[in-house]
Amino acid sequence: MNYRTILRLAYTILAGLILFSIFFAIAANNIVPVTYLTDQSSILTANDLKPAACSAIIVTTIVYCPAGGGNCDGTTANDLILGSPSVDTIQGKGGADCIVAGDGNDDLTGSQSRDICIGGPGTDTFKKCETIIQ
C-alpha cells in the first residue's frame, strides 16, 4: 500500500467515527416526556383484602389486632379481623366477620355463629364460628 491509500483510509475511518459520534450525540439529546402510563392506582377495600375462604361475606371494615397481642374486638359491622404475631383473644362482636388469626395460640370467638374463623400457626381455640379453618 502506498502512502496516499493509507491516508485516504485514515480519513474515511475518521469521517465514519465523526458521523457515528454525531448520531449518538443527537440520540442522547432527545428527551422522552414522562407518560405515567404504568402508574395505575386503585382503591383497595376491606373486601378486596379478605382471603378466599371468606368469599361468602361482604366485609366493610378492617380491624388490626395490636402487634403485642392481647384483646382484639371487632365492631358491629362485617369485619375483616387480622390477628397479630403474638397471642390474641379475638372477638367478632356483631356482623358476619372474617377472623384471621396470626401466629401464637389464639382464642377466636365469633358472634351469632355467622363468622368464618381461620386459624394460624399455633394451637387456636374456636367458639361460635360458622366455619372453622385450621
Side-chain angles (χ1 to χ4, degrees):
M1 270 190 180
N2 64 14
Y3 179 71
R4 285 185 156 196
T5 306
I6 293 174
L7 195 57
R8 281 187 198 152
L9 185 60
Y11 284 138
T12 304
I13 292 174
L14 183 61
L17 287 174
I18 290 171
L19 289 174
F20 187 76
S21 298
I22 290 171
F23 172 76
F24 279 103
I26 291 172
N29 196 27
N30 288 339
I31 298 173
V32 178
V34 178
T35 62
Y36 301 107
L37 180 63
T38 59
D39 291 349
Q40 302 291 327
S41 62
S42 62
I43 297 172
L44 290 177
T45 64
N47 215 39
D48 297 326
L49 300 176
K50 70 183 178 188
C54 296
S55 62
I57 299 173
I58 297 174
V59 295
T60 56
T61 57
I62 302 173
V63 176
Y64 297 101
C65 294
N71 292 335
C72 182
D73 294 338
T75 67
T76 56
N78 293 355
D79 301 322
L80 171 60
I81 304 173
L82 302 174
S84 74
S86 301
V87 177
D88 297 313
T89 301
I90 303 172
Q91 294 188 3
K93 300 289 181 182
D97 301 320
C98 178
I99 303 172
V100 182
D103 288 345
N105 301 333
D106 301 319
D107 290 324
L108 286 72
T109 304
S111 65
Q112 304 167 4
S113 298
R114 296 185 309 171
D115 298 330
I116 298 174
C117 300
I118 302 172
T123 304
D124 299 322
T125 305
F126 301 94
K127 299 173 195 151
K128 295 183 183 178
C129 296
E130 180 180 14
T131 305
I132 296 172
I133 301 171
Q134 179 59 45

